[in-house]
Amino acid sequence: MSQPKGTYSITTPIYYVNAAPHLGTAYTTIAADAVARYQRMNGYDVAFVTGMDEHGQKVADTAADKGMAPQEWCDSMEPAFRDAWKDLDISYTDFVRTTEPRHQRSVRKFWQELHDKGYLYKGSYEGWYCVHEETYYAESDLEKNDDGEFVCPDCKRPVQLMASGEENWFFKLSDFQDKLLALYEERPEFIRPETRRNEIVSFVERGLKDLSISRSTFDWGVPLPFDEDHVAYVWADALIAYLTGIGYANAAADGGDGARGDEFERRWPMQYHFVGKDITRFHCVIWPAMLMAAGLPITHTVFGHGFLLTKGEKMSKSKGNALRPADLAGIFGVDAYRYYFMSDVQFGADGSISMERMVQVYNNELANTWGNLVSRVTNMTKKYFGSKVPAAPADAAATKDNPLRSMADALYVEYDGAMALVDFTKAIGAVQALAARVNLYVEESAPWNLAKDEAKAGELAAVIYNSLEAIRIIAAYLAPFMPNTSAEVFRRLGLNDVFAIDDIAAACAWGGLPAGNAVEIGDPLFPRLDVDAIDMDME
């Protein structure tokens, strides 16, 4: 095990507890997992935080509708998330529930510090509020439905007029307008992609109002330490889970057991928050202002990805088009499901998905290109070399015609650069280009003809070795996206666990496949699919 390059930390949103994971939440989580897995293989000590957002009025209302206490309702939903992430091979390091005592310590510590620094004041609020989005809106931001009611611009549900009689604690968000604009100017990479950045800059330039961070009309939340009659409002609670997941309030002085030591100091600030574009504003305006007030460094990048669209609409439970990840994983397999959403949907933009396109990608890129390559080369290894990796001849005549090595040697720089920018489509495309070239190399070299001529035994060995070595390298680079498939390919090549790699550049240096390794053949990695035989409508 080599010495880690340093820490690398990434989060998904802390997901609302009221709905089980669907394709949209799985999309965010798989993206974060691919980065986490890769950066571990790239030599970093990775923290990957996800979890459940369990407080707020709509959670309490949903629990009441179901005849359950709020905590009982939240507890009943936990398996839906943990099981979904287990089924999708999500390698998170911490799952934060906002009802946990350690998170309550984080919330209370954070807001006590801001209270002590003078960033909070008590006042009353009168304005429009969306229970579903748990967001206040100016009347100018609202839309009207066919009945003339004001509705939320995001979820289109009717909003409520909050009476001025309710006292709230307010965070002085307006004090940070100029500081936020300076942040966006000095660090354009803080908000990605650029379309999200432009939206946020325009929003902040229009002026910021102070933010209500508490409610006193219900008690389902974390009580504020300086005013126990008030509970932290959802964003004043959920955002802090990112700190909880890396030990923010673990010190004994905060009431914790100190078990994780100085983890927070080592891991903060994080490299990435992955969020859907609909919650970018909270993460790029409220969150950095909160961190500035607390005197904490700002996360390097908030990446607001686009929506998955079916019939041109965002998938949502209320529209009845929010498919369960298990539905598609049951058809395509977990790895192919992960692969499709990371390769075919450009991360950052909205992406239209369809069953026809999923089958097309599966058959063309996985069954025909990658799976077929593994099958044909391992079968030829069995046929010509008794299922042993041949020794790669050292003489120039046998090795001069190897176009694979130069592609493989250049792959790390291109792939690593794409992964640093979370351009999954580009990263996977670079790996698939090598796979396609190996298939072409096999056709051009025609080992079945070389095997007929004993004088060309060395050339045959070189072709089979080069093809197997390229397969090893391809499997390593595809592992963050298709962990089970890559593990199986490594097993068939007689290699150790692919996720034992902690220096992928060194591990993928050409010539790393030992001669003499036993090579297994097996069932097709990706049996071809017929779209007409699949009974599922995504259109």
Side-chain angles (χ1 to χ4, degrees), residues 467-481:
S467 300
L468 288 169
E469 172 66 341
I471 285 171
R472 178 186 75 89
I473 292 168
I474 291 165
Y477 282 114
L478 287 179
F481 303 100

mmCIF file of all heavy atoms in Angstrom, residues 467-481:
data_model
loop_
_atom_site.group_PDB
_atom_site.id
_atom_site.type_symbol
_atom_site.label_atom_id
_atom_site.label_comp_id
_atom_site.label_asym_id
_atom_site.label_seq_id
_atom_site.Cartn_x
_atom_site.Cartn_y
_atom_site.Cartn_z
ATOM 1 N N SER A 467 -3.037 -8.148 -26.429
ATOM 2 C CA SER A 467 -4.494 -8.052 -26.288
ATOM 3 C C SER A 467 -4.921 -8.269 -24.837
ATOM 4 O O SER A 467 -5.764 -7.543 -24.303
ATOM 5 C CB SER A 467 -5.174 -9.065 -27.207
ATOM 6 O OG SER A 467 -4.829 -8.827 -28.565
ATOM 7 N N LEU A 468 -4.324 -9.265 -24.181
ATOM 8 C CA LEU A 468 -4.643 -9.504 -22.771
ATOM 9 C C LEU A 468 -4.199 -8.339 -21.895
ATOM 10 O O LEU A 468 -4.913 -7.935 -20.972
ATOM 11 C CB LEU A 468 -3.958 -10.785 -22.295
ATOM 12 C CG LEU A 468 -4.525 -12.105 -22.811
ATOM 13 C CD1 LEU A 468 -3.577 -13.250 -22.454
ATOM 14 C CD2 LEU A 468 -5.917 -12.376 -22.252
ATOM 15 N N GLU A 469 -3.030 -7.791 -22.185
ATOM 16 C CA GLU A 469 -2.532 -6.671 -21.389
ATOM 17 C C GLU A 469 -3.421 -5.446 -21.565
ATOM 18 O O GLU A 469 -3.715 -4.739 -20.593
ATOM 19 C CB GLU A 469 -1.091 -6.353 -21.791
ATOM 20 C CG GLU A 469 -0.511 -5.087 -21.178
ATOM 21 C CD GLU A 469 -0.343 -5.140 -19.655
ATOM 22 O OE1 GLU A 469 -0.989 -5.990 -18.990
ATOM 23 O OE2 GLU A 469 0.410 -4.306 -19.120
ATOM 24 N N ALA A 470 -3.874 -5.197 -22.778
ATOM 25 C CA ALA A 470 -4.798 -4.073 -22.997
ATOM 26 C C ALA A 470 -6.107 -4.310 -22.258
ATOM 27 O O ALA A 470 -6.689 -3.373 -21.681
ATOM 28 C CB ALA A 470 -5.046 -3.878 -24.488
ATOM 29 N N ILE A 471 -6.600 -5.552 -22.235
ATOM 30 C CA ILE A 471 -7.825 -5.871 -21.500
ATOM 31 C C ILE A 471 -7.636 -5.581 -20.015
ATOM 32 O O ILE A 471 -8.533 -5.034 -19.354
ATOM 33 C CB ILE A 471 -8.205 -7.348 -21.735
ATOM 34 C CG1 ILE A 471 -8.789 -7.509 -23.141
ATOM 35 C CG2 ILE A 471 -9.202 -7.836 -20.685
ATOM 36 C CD1 ILE A 471 -9.007 -8.952 -23.556
ATOM 37 N N ARG A 472 -6.471 -5.936 -19.466
ATOM 38 C CA ARG A 472 -6.196 -5.641 -18.063
ATOM 39 C C ARG A 472 -6.289 -4.143 -17.778
ATOM 40 O O ARG A 472 -6.922 -3.708 -16.800
ATOM 41 C CB ARG A 472 -4.795 -6.143 -17.694
ATOM 42 C CG ARG A 472 -4.381 -5.851 -16.249
ATOM 43 C CD ARG A 472 -2.934 -6.245 -15.998
ATOM 44 N NE ARG A 472 -2.006 -5.301 -16.599
ATOM 45 C CZ ARG A 472 -1.541 -4.206 -16.005
ATOM 46 N NH1 ARG A 472 -1.944 -3.884 -14.778
ATOM 47 N NH2 ARG A 472 -0.675 -3.417 -16.624
ATOM 48 N N ILE A 473 -5.703 -3.360 -18.633
ATOM 49 C CA ILE A 473 -5.680 -1.908 -18.438
ATOM 50 C C ILE A 473 -7.075 -1.316 -18.608
ATOM 51 O O ILE A 473 -7.508 -0.457 -17.822
ATOM 52 C CB ILE A 473 -4.665 -1.273 -19.404
ATOM 53 C CG1 ILE A 473 -3.243 -1.692 -18.995
ATOM 54 C CG2 ILE A 473 -4.802 0.245 -19.436
ATOM 55 C CD1 ILE A 473 -2.176 -1.368 -20.024
ATOM 56 N N ILE A 474 -7.807 -1.788 -19.600
ATOM 57 C CA ILE A 474 -9.178 -1.313 -19.811
ATOM 58 C C ILE A 474 -10.037 -1.622 -18.591
ATOM 59 O O ILE A 474 -10.803 -0.778 -18.109
ATOM 60 C CB ILE A 474 -9.776 -1.955 -21.076
ATOM 61 C CG1 ILE A 474 -9.081 -1.423 -22.329
ATOM 62 C CG2 ILE A 474 -11.287 -1.702 -21.157
ATOM 63 C CD1 ILE A 474 -9.340 -2.258 -23.571
ATOM 64 N N ALA A 475 -9.909 -2.840 -18.065
ATOM 65 C CA ALA A 475 -10.704 -3.230 -16.893
ATOM 66 C C ALA A 475 -10.399 -2.327 -15.704
ATOM 67 O O ALA A 475 -11.307 -1.950 -14.947
ATOM 68 C CB ALA A 475 -10.438 -4.688 -16.537
ATOM 69 N N ALA A 476 -9.144 -1.959 -15.526
ATOM 70 C CA ALA A 476 -8.787 -1.086 -14.402
ATOM 71 C C ALA A 476 -9.454 0.274 -14.542
ATOM 72 O O ALA A 476 -10.014 0.810 -13.574
ATOM 73 C CB ALA A 476 -7.269 -0.931 -14.324
ATOM 74 N N TYR A 477 -9.418 0.844 -15.736
ATOM 75 C CA TYR A 477 -9.998 2.176 -15.922
ATOM 76 C C TYR A 477 -11.523 2.163 -15.934
ATOM 77 O O TYR A 477 -12.157 3.193 -15.653
ATOM 78 C CB TYR A 477 -9.465 2.801 -17.208
ATOM 79 C CG TYR A 477 -8.059 3.346 -17.063
ATOM 80 C CD1 TYR A 477 -6.997 2.785 -17.751
ATOM 81 C CD2 TYR A 477 -7.790 4.427 -16.226
ATOM 82 C CE1 TYR A 477 -5.704 3.281 -17.620
ATOM 83 C CE2 TYR A 477 -6.509 4.932 -16.082
ATOM 84 C CZ TYR A 477 -5.469 4.355 -16.781
ATOM 85 O OH TYR A 477 -4.200 4.852 -16.637
ATOM 86 N N LEU A 478 -12.137 1.033 -16.246
ATOM 87 C CA LEU A 478 -13.598 0.948 -16.202
ATOM 88 C C LEU A 478 -14.114 0.585 -14.815
ATOM 89 O O LEU A 478 -15.317 0.656 -14.556
ATOM 90 C CB LEU A 478 -14.111 -0.081 -17.223
ATOM 91 C CG LEU A 478 -14.033 0.327 -18.696
ATOM 92 C CD1 LEU A 478 -14.547 -0.801 -19.580
ATOM 93 C CD2 LEU A 478 -14.816 1.611 -18.972
ATOM 94 N N ALA A 479 -13.214 0.215 -13.901
ATOM 95 C CA ALA A 479 -13.636 -0.248 -12.577
ATOM 96 C C ALA A 479 -14.468 0.766 -11.796
ATOM 97 O O ALA A 479 -15.418 0.374 -11.110
ATOM 98 C CB ALA A 479 -12.414 -0.674 -11.761
ATOM 99 N N PRO A 480 -14.163 2.078 -11.835
ATOM 100 C CA PRO A 480 -15.015 3.017 -11.087
ATOM 101 C C PRO A 480 -16.459 3.028 -11.560
ATOM 102 O O PRO A 480 -17.363 3.365 -10.786
ATOM 103 C CB PRO A 480 -14.344 4.372 -11.348
ATOM 104 C CG PRO A 480 -12.914 4.033 -11.631
ATOM 105 C CD PRO A 480 -12.979 2.742 -12.403
ATOM 106 N N PHE A 481 -16.674 2.664 -12.818
ATOM 107 C CA PHE A 481 -18.029 2.686 -13.379
ATOM 108 C C PHE A 481 -18.691 1.312 -13.322
ATOM 109 O O PHE A 481 -19.897 1.210 -13.097
ATOM 110 C CB PHE A 481 -17.971 3.179 -14.826
ATOM 111 C CG PHE A 481 -17.336 4.528 -14.966
ATOM 112 C CD1 PHE A 481 -16.014 4.655 -15.368
ATOM 113 C CD2 PHE A 481 -18.042 5.676 -14.649
ATOM 114 C CE1 PHE A 481 -15.415 5.905 -15.469
ATOM 115 C CE2 PHE A 481 -17.460 6.923 -14.746
ATOM 116 C CZ PHE A 481 -16.135 7.035 -15.157
#
